[in-house]
Amino acid sequence: MEMRDIVVLDDNNKYAIISKIDYEQKKYYYLVDINNVENLMFCYEDKGDLVNINDAGLIKKLLPLFLEASKHIINEFI
């Protein structure tokens, strides 16, 4: 799974991978529902499956890393 890929999760919604990072030996993903941009998802990869993250402290740590990883894509639109 790479940035800009579309994935379908268990809720049957389609999400765009906005950012992907490696942090503490795990791959983390920042996803946005393509039909409802207010529906954000933060996940990590476990054996090929995406697992939702609900830990606000972890998400707060990951957000600046996601931004840095996707900065080049954001610049394409500026």
Side-chain angles (χ1 to χ4, degrees):
M1 291 180 276
E2 299 299 329
M3 291 171 47
R4 298 183 179 171
D5 284 353
I6 303 296
V7 295
V8 178
L9 298 184
D10 290 341
D11 62 3
N12 290 321
N13 291 332
K14 293 180 182 178
Y15 293 85
I17 298 175
I18 301 302
S19 190
K20 172 185 173 182
I21 59 171
D22 291 317
Y23 179 73
E24 296 185 347
Q25 290 85 38
K26 287 186 181 179
K27 291 190 187 310
Y28 289 91
Y29 297 87
Y30 175 15
L31 311 174
V32 176
D33 187 327
I34 63 172
N35 295 309
N36 178 5
V37 296
E38 293 180 10
N39 186 15
L40 307 175
M41 189 80 61
F42 299 94
C43 303
Y44 67 91
E45 189 173 355
D46 183 34
K47 300 177 185 170
D49 293 326
L50 292 178
V51 179
N52 191 24
I53 299 169
N54 294 316
D55 181 338
L58 177 58
I59 292 170
K60 187 175 180 179
K61 288 179 188 177
L62 296 176
L63 278 173
L65 302 174
F66 283 132
L67 178 59
E68 185 63 33
S70 61
K71 192 180 281 187
H72 68 283
I73 292 175
I74 294 167
N75 287 334
E76 290 177 15
F77 296 99
I78 296 175

